[in-house]
Every structure is written in C-alpha cells, then in structure tokens.
Amino acid sequence: MLAISGGAAGAQTVGDWVLGNYKGAGYWFPGVAEKVQGGKVTIRYDDGDRETVSVDDVRPYNWTIGMKVECNYKNAGDWYGGTITSLGGEKIGIAYDDGDKEVTKTGRCRSR
C-alpha cells in the first residue's frame, strides 16, 4: 500500500474510500482511491467515473448521518439539498429539504 501525506487529503492509501473534487468544480463526490503516486490520486467514483487529481483535491470520506448533502433526486439530473438519514455501503437515505425522501446510491450525491 502506498500512502500520501500533507495537503487536504491527509494520509490516504489505495483502497480507501475518499471524497474527490470532481473536475475541480468544488463539489465532493465519494469514490475509492485506486492509485496513489507522485502527489496524484486516481479515484474510481461511486458513479463509475474515474479521474486522476492532485492530492489537494482529495479528502477523507467523512459523510455521516445528519450531514447536509445534495443528491440527484431519482437520478433525473436535478440536484436537491437534503440530510443523510442512513448509510450502508453505497446505499444512502436522504430526507430532502422539501420533504421528499429516498434511498439512493452514494454516487448520486455530493457535498460542498
């Protein structure tokens, strides 16, 4: 296992579940660190996308019940704010701010 230190990521190793700043857009998506080398991390995001980013664009996975996130409601392409109500692997329960609820996949959610 390789470890990286310093920067926003702290100590991450291959196989860790992380949050990546996908395309540097300021949204943090969950995924798994597939490769860690030379200040770069390759992330396989929970939605299937892959990206190699600077260590500064990786955070330890920190989602918890009660945390605010945005999710792609019913995978229809629109993002809505809500609160995590349950977590189990890649399944996540969301209580949306408008009163709707759903259990979806972590790959359909993001945080700021």
Side-chain angles (χ1 to χ4, degrees):
M1 295 286 205
L2 300 172
I4 54 179
S5 60
Q12 298 296 326
T13 58
V14 171
D16 282 350
W17 209 6
V18 297
L19 296 174
N21 183 5
Y22 185 68
K23 297 201 183 273
Y27 292 103
W28 298 86
F29 292 87
V32 175
E34 285 190 322
K35 183 177 179 181
V36 180
Q37 184 176 16
K40 301 278 186 186
V41 180
T42 299
I43 301 169
R44 180 188 45 81
Y45 291 100
D46 289 356
D47 69 357
D49 286 342
R50 279 187 172 73
E51 178 180 44
T52 299
V53 299
S54 165
V55 65
D56 293 332
D57 287 325
V58 181
R59 294 180 181 167
Y61 180 85
N62 66 348
W63 289 3
T64 59
I65 293 172
M67 184 175 176
K68 299 290 282 180
V69 294
E70 296 176 352
C71 296
N72 183 351
Y73 182 66
K74 297 196 183 241
N75 202 30
D78 295 314
W79 296 86
Y80 297 98
T83 303
I84 298 172
T85 58
S86 65
L87 284 168
E90 290 188 25
K91 295 279 186 189
I92 186 169
I94 302 295
Y96 289 98
D97 296 344
D98 68 0
D100 285 332
K101 296 179 181 177
E102 82 173 321
V103 175
T104 188
K105 296 178 181 182
T106 55
R108 295 182 182 158
C109 298
R110 65 190 183 188
S111 58
R112 288 195 178 249

